[in-house]
Amino acid sequence: MRMMSFLFAMMMSFVVLSGCCSAKVYKVGDFEGWIAKDDVYYAWAETDHKEFHVGDSLVFEYDPIINDVTHFCDYSSPKVVYNTGHDVVTLTEPGFHYFITSNQAQCVLGQKLEVLVIHDPSRPVGGDSEGWKVYDSDFYNKWSEEKQFHVGDTLLFKYDNEVSDVYEINGDLEFMTCDPTSPVAVHKTGHDLVRLMKPGVHYFITSHSGTCEAGLKLRVMVGPQSKAVAFSNFPKKVDLSASERLNNWLKTFKPQPSH
């Protein structure tokens, strides 16, 4: 048994290392595995700024006598239930994914995990090889219109940082006039990853005079990741954050008072 566990750990390490530029494998909870522990999985998902992409896999290790892994993509019914004690779950769809144990006591103690899965690891602005530079005045308008952007997507700006930069700005007026005086964020590394965290219109320009006017500016429309969902104990459909949806749904597991 120990030899098999060692061989599996070696295989997982090989997959992570060889797949650094493609799919990754994550052991949930690291060395502690899938156990009841307050807030451990929220912290685990946030550690090292983990990004989960379509094609990545989660490994759940636990005692199958007292636990399992129940996977939800919404709250109408479980997508699948795993109970081997050593489950490898491949993330095949973008969006929020929720994992809990069906052991109510363990779940209340914190044995639940929420991850946001991104379809593309990053989207190179301007194309795979050309990067963030002037083409023509309408190039970036056409580039963004051909694509769909959602909360959680990442834009990759690649450029020569001696001659350019990336300023994220507030609104359409600043975008039209190439005004960099009140930026939301400034990026100057030449290899900038910008996560789209809010729905709505996002604006990016260069601060270099003349270059922005020549067309080095980008406007993208970002769609929301979550959708309106309904619960049986809610009077109407409501828009809720991921954590609110998970907590409200988990309340249905609590025992009702006897009369």
Side-chain angles (χ1 to χ4, degrees):
M1 180 63 71
R2 288 183 178 178
M3 179 60 70
M4 292 189 65
S5 297
F6 173 76
L7 289 174
F8 181 83
M10 292 295 292
M11 282 176 31
M12 290 299 99
S13 299
F14 175 77
V15 170
V16 171
L17 291 173
S18 63
C20 64
C21 298
S22 54
K24 293 184 179 181
V25 178
Y26 297 93
K27 181 181 176 182
V28 176
D30 296 325
F31 68 91
E32 292 184 301
W34 180 238
I35 60 173
K37 195 170 182 180
D38 189 35
D39 286 336
V40 67
Y41 298 106
Y42 174 81
W44 175 82
E46 293 292 317
T47 300
D48 300 325
H49 305 286
K50 288 185 180 69
E51 288 188 355
F52 302 95
H53 304 132
V54 170
D56 289 352
S57 295
L58 303 177
V59 177
F60 292 84
E61 291 188 346
Y62 57 93
D63 182 352
I65 297 176
I66 59 173
N67 278 314
D68 58 20
V69 180
T70 304
H71 181 190
F72 290 83
C73 285
D74 58 49
Y75 296 99
S76 57
S77 61
K79 182 177 181 179
V80 65
V81 177
Y82 304 91
N83 54 18
T84 70
H86 189 93
D87 307 318
V88 180
V89 181
T90 300
L91 304 168
T92 60
E93 301 174 359
F96 286 103
H97 291 249
Y98 309 95
F99 302 90
I100 66 169
T101 175
S102 64
N103 182 323
Q104 181 185 352
Q106 299 285 100
C107 185
V108 170
L109 289 174
Q111 196 168 346
K112 49 191 175 182
L113 169 67
E114 170 197 321
V115 298
L116 173 59
V117 179
I118 304 168
H119 192 277
D120 298 316
S122 63
R123 186 165 292 175
V125 174
D128 292 335
S129 59
E130 297 299 327
W132 177 240
K133 68 177 187 179
V134 176
Y135 299 93
D136 59 60
S137 60
D138 203 37
F139 175 83
Y140 289 103
N141 184 44
K142 294 177 181 177
W143 182 84
S144 64
E145 286 181 348
E146 293 171 352
K147 297 166 178 60
Q148 292 185 347
F149 302 90
H150 300 280
V151 169
D153 286 353
T154 304
L155 299 179
L156 172 60
F157 292 86
K158 294 173 21 178
Y159 56 92
D160 182 350
N161 65 354
E162 293 184 359
V163 298
S164 193
D165 52 28
V166 180
Y167 277 48
E168 185 170 0
I169 55 176
N170 275 308
D172 201 60
L173 179 60
E174 291 89 346
F175 181 79
M176 296 298 292
T177 59
C178 290
D179 179 5
T181 56
S182 301
V184 175
V186 176
H187 309 278
K188 295 185 176 184
T189 70
H191 192 97
D192 306 319
L193 284 169
V194 180
R195 178 76 69 86
L196 302 171
M197 298 301 294
K198 297 188 298 184
V201 184
H202 293 243
Y203 303 90
F204 304 90
I205 66 171
T206 177
S207 67
H208 289 246
S209 179
T211 311
C212 179
E213 287 81 354
L216 193 52
K217 53 184 178 180
L218 171 67
R219 174 172 47 201
V220 297
M221 174 64 74
V222 179
Q225 182 66 61
S226 58
K227 299 179 180 179
V229 294
F231 299 91
S232 57
N233 58 336
F234 278 67
K236 60 181 181 180
K237 286 189 176 182
V238 291
D239 287 316
L240 298 172
S241 70
S243 59
E244 288 172 329
R245 285 181 289 168
L246 185 58
N247 288 332
N248 280 322
W249 182 81
L250 288 174
K251 289 177 182 177
T252 64
F253 281 93
K254 293 182 178 180
Q256 300 298 317
S258 57
H259 297 284

